[in-house]
Amino acid sequence: MRSDVVKKGIARAPHRSLFKALGFIDEELARPLVGIVVAQSEIVPGHVHLDTIARAAAAGVRLAGGIPFQFPVIGVCDGIAMGHEGMRYSLATRELIADSIECMVMAHGFDALICIPNCDKIVPGMLMAAARINLPTVFVSGGPMLAGRKDGKPLTFTSVYEAVGAVATGKMDEAELSVLEEAACPGCGSCSGMFTANSMNCVTEALGMALPGNGTIPAVMAERLRLAKKTGILALNVLKKDIRPRSILTEQAFINALALDMALGCSTNTALHLPAIAHEAGFTLDLDRLNRVSAVTPNLCKLAPASATPIEELHAAGGIPAVLMELAKRNLITLEAPTVYGVLGDSVETGVNRNTALIRPIEDPYSPTGGLAALKGNLAPEGCVVKQSAVAPSMLKYEGPARIFDAEEAAFDAIMGGAIKAGDVIVIRYEGPRGGPGMKEMLAPTAALAGMGLDDKVALITDGRFSGATRGAAIGHISPEAAEGGPIALLEEGDIIAIDIEGRTINSKVPAEVIEARKASWKPLPPKVQTGYLARYARQVSSAASGAILRD
């Protein structure tokens, strides 16, 4: 066992004495040591209950004959960090999470690992670490929050953000906003739509790193605790069979993940995280591959924010196995792809579509192409990303004058102040991985537009990114970013921007010679952060088109 390096032989007597300081006895130390990395904290609703998930997983480890050791990682709540300087730190924590897990696992000689994430950057950070250290690893998330309810209708976290815009236009008063604030988030779990956290937890099923149910079983259900116990038992079986992440995280596994992503209409942030995980697994996953998968994969589900349907209803309808079953009808996934419990086909065999209005049969999809699309053009030579399944049909092809803002806050103030009109294209730049720094999510401006009834009349483009809760013609990840002199940096107020989502293009109509003249006189803005972790991050981070990974 790998753990022999910290517990076996005369030379390891000092090490054993430290284990005995923890209360362990020799009979326990003869067993495999299983690390349980858990992102529990008291500040994140998606993580506040993860100690209960960890205890259930530990019980499974003991049942299977192993010894569990729990250790923590950090996790930012994107909702609480949204709209202020805290959001600069969210994406940047993904790398910290991966690095800290590597440090803990390699320093303490664990034989196997159980990862317990729930929210946005924690899931990909843990997957990146698993691919990097390549020890037998299984995942179990904390599960989604139940939807809030008002007058019998479901509410999500986004409902409150959109209500802010409604209040600004007089469509809602502050008393009603207060009612929504009290009702929208009823308890623990990752926010209740197909936002980034739930997108990544569902995608983890398709990657083969977690048992069926990982992405959809609600956080408050006892079924979630049973899943965690089964995961603890599974960790010992994966160790016994020496099943390692890189034998699972193959190129085909990522194609399966992309296919599920397109069918579900997942968050645009998956276009950042899947390439970063693939990079750790040893190969490149680019936006061209995303488009190729999207072109042949129908969109089968419209969950919040593309509709009012919360993710708990996807679970009741059959969950990820039911969606994979539909995809398998057209051979859009590889059933023989290995997983931590067998092959992906084992999950498909359990699939039952209990609600064909929610999970459309593949013969009757919402659209013949997937939920995400990558666009390219003279405004984004390296590409950009849009959640096309959440865009109104009238906005799929669109032209309008640019309204330029060099920070999210300035754009939000303009929206709330009534300065944005139907037909505009809001441009928010210098918010990319390097320029932000940290590539802030921008739920506040997009939700305000939706609350004002402008989400089908105004486009928003940015070198930053969007929350998985965003809907409308919101196009992010424009690369190269403004801070690196990308074309978005050369736009001026009133320039006409042409967007063709179905044609996969995004262009400015400024003549090339004018752009060249502007480029000759362009100077970048001074760095927004010049000390600390974010300053180091800005110096090392790569383009969003390559997953915003850190350069060696």
Side-chain angles (χ1 to χ4, degrees):
M1 288 188 291
R2 181 176 180 272
S3 59
D4 288 347
V5 300
V6 296
K7 66 183 186 182
K8 191 172 183 179
I10 294 173
R12 295 300 181 254
H15 304 63
R16 291 193 296 275
S17 70
L18 292 171
F19 281 107
K20 290 175 180 180
L22 299 171
F24 290 97
I25 60 176
D26 289 335
E27 288 81 356
E28 289 177 299
L29 294 179
R31 298 178 178 185
L33 307 186
V34 180
I36 299 180
V37 52
V38 56
Q40 195 273 339
S41 74
E42 295 182 349
I43 188 64
V44 185
H47 294 183
V48 70
H49 66 301
L50 292 189
D51 54 339
T52 65
I53 306 298
R55 286 196 295 271
V61 169
R62 292 190 182 95
L63 281 170
I67 302 300
F69 292 84
Q70 185 182 140
F71 65 90
V73 293
I74 62 172
V76 166
C77 176
D78 280 13
I80 294 175
M82 196 77 66
H84 59 91
E85 66 178 354
M87 181 46 71
R88 291 176 178 156
Y89 288 86
S90 175
L91 180 60
T93 64
R94 189 185 69 181
E95 277 39 57
L96 288 176
I97 290 163
D99 290 349
S100 66
I101 293 171
E102 176 190 357
C103 292
M104 288 294 290
V105 170
M106 301 310 293
H108 295 101
F110 292 118
D111 296 299
L113 192 63
I114 297 173
C115 291
I116 305 179
N118 214 26
C119 292
D120 296 27
K121 307 314 148 320
I122 297 84
V123 185
M126 287 184 176
L127 284 165
M128 289 164 67
R132 185 187 303 172
I133 61 181
N134 203 34
L135 288 177
T137 302
V138 291
F139 276 66
V140 58
S141 77
M145 183 186 294
L146 294 177
R149 299 280 166 178
K150 180 179 180 292
D151 301 328
K153 296 179 180 179
L155 299 172
T156 69
F157 168 69
T158 318
S159 305
V160 188
Y161 258 105
E162 293 184 359
V164 172
V167 170
T169 57
K171 296 180 179 179
M172 181 183 294
D173 60 30
E174 291 190 33
E176 189 173 358
L177 175 63
S178 181
V179 171
L180 289 177
E181 175 186 325
E182 294 284 344
C185 299
C188 67
S190 47
C191 293
S192 57
M194 189 52 73
F195 311 147
T196 306
N198 293 327
S199 294
M200 288 305 304
N201 284 324
C202 290
V203 160
T204 302
E205 286 191 47
L207 285 172
M209 291 296 293
L211 285 166
N214 180 70
T216 60
I217 298 172
V220 296
M221 284 189 172
E223 187 181 358
R224 174 64 57 179
L225 297 179
R226 296 196 296 271
L227 184 74
K229 288 180 182 177
K230 290 176 182 177
T231 300
I233 294 169
L234 179 63
L236 273 294
N237 189 50
V238 167
L239 173 62
K240 180 180 178 180
K241 294 181 177 180
D242 196 30
I243 300 171
R244 297 179 180 248
R246 289 191 190 177
S247 68
I248 294 171
L249 295 173
T250 63
E251 186 171 3
Q252 189 54 58
F254 285 93
I255 302 307
N256 288 340
L258 281 174
L260 178 70
D261 188 327
M262 298 306 158
L264 289 175
C266 288
S267 164
T268 51
N269 283 312
T270 59
L272 277 176
H273 300 321
L274 286 173
I277 300 162
H279 174 76
E280 293 288 354
F283 58 89
T284 299
L285 189 71
D286 58 22
L287 294 180
D288 290 336
R289 177 59 65 88
L290 181 151
N291 266 349
R292 290 200 295 274
V293 174
S294 181
V296 298
T297 309
N299 178 219
L300 304 180
C301 301
K302 280 194 180 292
L303 299 156
S307 74
T309 306
I311 196 169
E312 66 198 65
E313 295 190 27
L314 175 62
H315 180 64
I320 301 309
V323 181
L324 293 174
M325 179 189 70
E326 294 293 343
L327 295 174
K329 291 178 181 177
R330 289 191 182 168
N331 300 315
L332 293 171
I333 56 171
T334 299
L335 299 177
E336 296 77 22
T339 70
V340 289
Y341 54 83
V343 295
L344 195 63
D346 297 334
S347 176
V348 172
E349 286 182 5
T350 69
V352 179
N353 189 346
R354 302 186 183 94
N355 184 347
T356 55
L358 195 153
I359 305 173
R360 288 278 190 93
I362 201 160
E363 300 83 7
D364 181 32
Y366 282 103
S367 70
T369 56
L372 298 186
L375 316 182
K376 288 188 176 181
N378 64 19
L379 196 49
E382 294 178 4
C384 57
V385 181
V386 62
K387 187 170 184 173
Q388 64 178 355
S389 59
V391 177
S394 61
M395 298 295 291
L396 292 173
K397 194 167 186 177
Y398 182 84
E399 287 190 15
R403 304 296 310 280
I404 307 294
F405 303 94
D406 288 341
E408 176 199 7
E409 294 82 359
F412 181 71
D413 289 344
I415 294 167
M416 296 295 285
I420 301 301
K421 306 300 181 186
D424 287 342
V425 178
I426 301 169
V427 178
I428 304 177
R429 61 191 182 188
Y430 293 100
E431 293 289 10
R434 178 180 171 185
M439 203 179 183
K440 294 190 314 191
E441 286 187 346
M442 300 187 196
L443 179 57
T446 57
L449 290 170
M452 293 174 171
L454 290 173
D455 57 304
D456 61 350
K457 302 176 182 67
V458 171
L460 193 159
I461 69 172
T462 180
D463 54 7
R465 62 194 179 95
F466 297 109
S467 165
T470 291
R471 61 187 173 100
I475 299 168
H477 309 192
I478 287 184
S479 303
E481 62 175 294
E484 293 192 340
I488 192 173
L490 308 176
L491 288 175
E492 294 184 359
E493 190 81 6
D495 288 348
I496 299 300
I497 295 171
I499 299 165
D500 184 353
I501 294 174
E502 293 179 327
R504 305 295 191 255
T505 61
I506 182 167
N507 292 289
S508 75
K509 291 196 165 183
V510 181
E513 60 272 18
V514 174
I515 292 294
E516 286 301 314
R518 292 178 186 177
K519 189 173 183 179
S521 60
W522 173 81
K523 292 182 180 179
L525 295 180
K528 295 177 183 177
V529 178
Q530 300 188 28
T531 60
Y533 174 60
L534 281 182
R536 297 199 307 275
Y537 179 85
R539 290 194 294 269
Q540 290 183 278
V541 71
S542 69
S543 166
S546 58
I549 59 175
L550 296 187
R551 300 182 181 97
D552 294 332

